[in-house]
Amino acid sequence: MNKTEIYQNLIKQAKALIDKQVDDVANMANLCTLMYEHIPHHWIGFYRVQEQYLVLGPYRGPVACTRIAYGKGVCGTAWQELSTQIVADVHQFDGHIACSSASNSEIVIPCIRNGEVFAVLDIDSDAFDTFDETDARYLEELVSYL
Ligand code: SME
């Protein structure tokens, strides 16, 4: 399967899995495991907006930092700019927050509801230059179902 086919399959299953009757944490937890099965990157998880911070939510992978301030790191930048951040080499990103020394590239997608960011989806890869516009397009679609 190519990347597009992998994402189409992932999204089909995600749409069936997301339950609008339960809270975000439950759906994010299932989505992390579903993503991990289809796109097994080093770290896949959500940070949720709580007042002026992003606070660690459901994830798969090694332990991570628990709090990220608005505008800080790749995650805080995605929140501040309301836009997906694709980082080919995290070591070149000014202000990158290194939760794991094994991470070399990263994509962060803001989760937006009623025009406001309520969470970000963060995916780290141990390879350089892992993510592109195809990842951005499908991951943006995926979080839109939350
Ligand atoms: N690298 C992120 C921090 C979160 S960890 O990668 C899980 C950042 O710079 O915002």
Short mmCIF file of all heavy atoms in Angstrom, two decimals, residues 43 47 64-65 68 72-76 96-97 99 106 122 124, ligand 1:
data_model
loop_
_atom_site.label_atom_id
_atom_site.label_comp_id
_atom_site.label_asym_id
_atom_site.label_seq_id
_atom_site.Cartn_x
_atom_site.Cartn_y
_atom_site.Cartn_z
N TRP A 43 6.60 8.36 18.09
CA TRP A 43 5.72 8.92 19.13
C TRP A 43 4.49 9.51 18.43
O TRP A 43 4.62 10.28 17.48
CB TRP A 43 6.44 10.01 19.93
CG TRP A 43 5.80 10.36 21.23
CD1 TRP A 43 6.09 9.80 22.45
CD2 TRP A 43 4.78 11.35 21.48
NE1 TRP A 43 5.31 10.37 23.43
CE2 TRP A 43 4.50 11.32 22.86
CE3 TRP A 43 4.08 12.24 20.66
CZ2 TRP A 43 3.54 12.15 23.46
CZ3 TRP A 43 3.13 13.07 21.24
CH2 TRP A 43 2.87 13.02 22.63
N TYR A 47 -1.77 16.65 22.66
CA TYR A 47 -1.69 17.59 23.78
C TYR A 47 -2.99 18.38 23.75
O TYR A 47 -3.42 18.81 22.68
CB TYR A 47 -0.49 18.55 23.64
CG TYR A 47 0.82 17.93 24.02
CD1 TYR A 47 1.56 17.21 23.09
CD2 TYR A 47 1.33 18.07 25.30
CE1 TYR A 47 2.78 16.62 23.44
CE2 TYR A 47 2.55 17.50 25.65
CZ TYR A 47 3.26 16.78 24.72
OH TYR A 47 4.46 16.21 25.08
N ALA A 64 6.77 11.56 27.73
CA ALA A 64 6.96 12.86 27.08
C ALA A 64 6.77 13.99 28.08
O ALA A 64 6.26 13.79 29.19
CB ALA A 64 5.97 13.00 25.93
N CYS A 65 7.17 15.20 27.68
CA CYS A 65 6.98 16.36 28.56
C CYS A 65 5.47 16.61 28.73
O CYS A 65 4.68 16.36 27.81
CB CYS A 65 7.69 17.59 28.02
SG CYS A 65 7.43 17.89 26.29
N ILE A 68 3.35 22.34 27.65
CA ILE A 68 4.01 23.18 26.65
C ILE A 68 3.27 24.51 26.60
O ILE A 68 2.04 24.54 26.44
CB ILE A 68 3.99 22.50 25.25
CG1 ILE A 68 4.75 21.16 25.29
CG2 ILE A 68 4.57 23.43 24.19
CD1 ILE A 68 4.59 20.30 24.04
N LYS A 72 5.35 27.96 22.21
CA LYS A 72 6.65 27.30 22.43
C LYS A 72 6.72 25.96 21.69
O LYS A 72 5.72 25.22 21.61
CB LYS A 72 6.89 27.04 23.93
CG LYS A 72 6.92 28.31 24.76
CD LYS A 72 8.13 29.17 24.42
CE LYS A 72 8.16 30.43 25.26
NZ LYS A 72 9.14 31.40 24.79
N GLY A 73 7.92 25.64 21.21
CA GLY A 73 8.13 24.37 20.52
C GLY A 73 7.31 24.26 19.24
O GLY A 73 6.66 25.23 18.82
N VAL A 74 7.35 23.10 18.65
CA VAL A 74 6.59 22.89 17.41
C VAL A 74 5.10 22.87 17.73
O VAL A 74 4.27 23.44 17.01
CB VAL A 74 7.02 21.57 16.72
CG1 VAL A 74 6.36 21.44 15.36
CG2 VAL A 74 8.54 21.49 16.57
N CYS A 75 4.76 22.23 18.87
CA CYS A 75 3.35 22.12 19.27
C CYS A 75 2.74 23.48 19.57
O CYS A 75 1.65 23.81 19.09
CB CYS A 75 3.22 21.20 20.49
SG CYS A 75 3.62 19.48 20.13
N GLY A 76 3.45 24.27 20.38
CA GLY A 76 2.94 25.60 20.74
C GLY A 76 2.85 26.53 19.53
O GLY A 76 2.00 27.42 19.48
N HIS A 96 12.66 24.02 19.38
CA HIS A 96 12.13 22.66 19.45
C HIS A 96 12.29 22.09 20.86
O HIS A 96 13.33 22.26 21.49
CB HIS A 96 12.87 21.77 18.44
CG HIS A 96 12.55 20.32 18.59
ND1 HIS A 96 13.41 19.40 19.17
CD2 HIS A 96 11.44 19.63 18.28
CE1 HIS A 96 12.83 18.21 19.18
NE2 HIS A 96 11.64 18.32 18.65
N ILE A 97 11.24 21.44 21.35
CA ILE A 97 11.30 20.82 22.68
C ILE A 97 11.59 19.34 22.49
O ILE A 97 10.77 18.61 21.90
CB ILE A 97 9.96 21.04 23.43
CG1 ILE A 97 9.68 22.53 23.59
CG2 ILE A 97 9.99 20.34 24.78
CD1 ILE A 97 8.22 22.86 23.91
N CYS A 99 11.62 15.89 23.63
CA CYS A 99 11.11 14.95 24.64
C CYS A 99 11.88 13.64 24.54
O CYS A 99 12.00 12.92 25.51
CB CYS A 99 9.63 14.70 24.44
SG CYS A 99 8.61 16.13 24.80
N GLU A 106 9.21 15.76 12.58
CA GLU A 106 7.96 15.89 13.35
C GLU A 106 6.89 16.56 12.51
O GLU A 106 7.17 17.37 11.63
CB GLU A 106 8.29 16.77 14.57
CG GLU A 106 7.15 17.02 15.53
CD GLU A 106 7.66 17.55 16.88
OE1 GLU A 106 8.88 17.79 17.04
OE2 GLU A 106 6.83 17.73 17.78
N ASP A 122 0.50 15.41 17.65
CA ASP A 122 1.94 15.49 17.43
C ASP A 122 2.45 14.11 17.05
O ASP A 122 2.17 13.12 17.74
CB ASP A 122 2.61 15.97 18.74
CG ASP A 122 4.12 16.08 18.61
OD1 ASP A 122 4.64 16.07 17.48
OD2 ASP A 122 4.78 16.19 19.66
N ASP A 124 6.10 12.18 15.99
CA ASP A 124 7.56 12.27 15.87
C ASP A 124 8.07 11.02 15.16
O ASP A 124 7.60 9.91 15.42
CB ASP A 124 8.22 12.28 17.26
CG ASP A 124 7.98 13.57 18.02
OD1 ASP A 124 7.15 14.38 17.57
OD2 ASP A 124 8.62 13.76 19.06
N1 SME B 1 8.74 18.21 20.11
C1 SME B 1 7.55 18.84 20.59
C2 SME B 1 7.29 18.50 22.03
C3 SME B 1 6.43 17.30 22.24
S1 SME B 1 7.25 15.84 22.03
O1 SME B 1 7.84 15.75 20.71
C4 SME B 1 6.26 14.52 22.31
C5 SME B 1 7.65 20.35 20.42
O2 SME B 1 8.70 20.89 20.08
O3 SME B 1 6.63 21.01 20.62
#
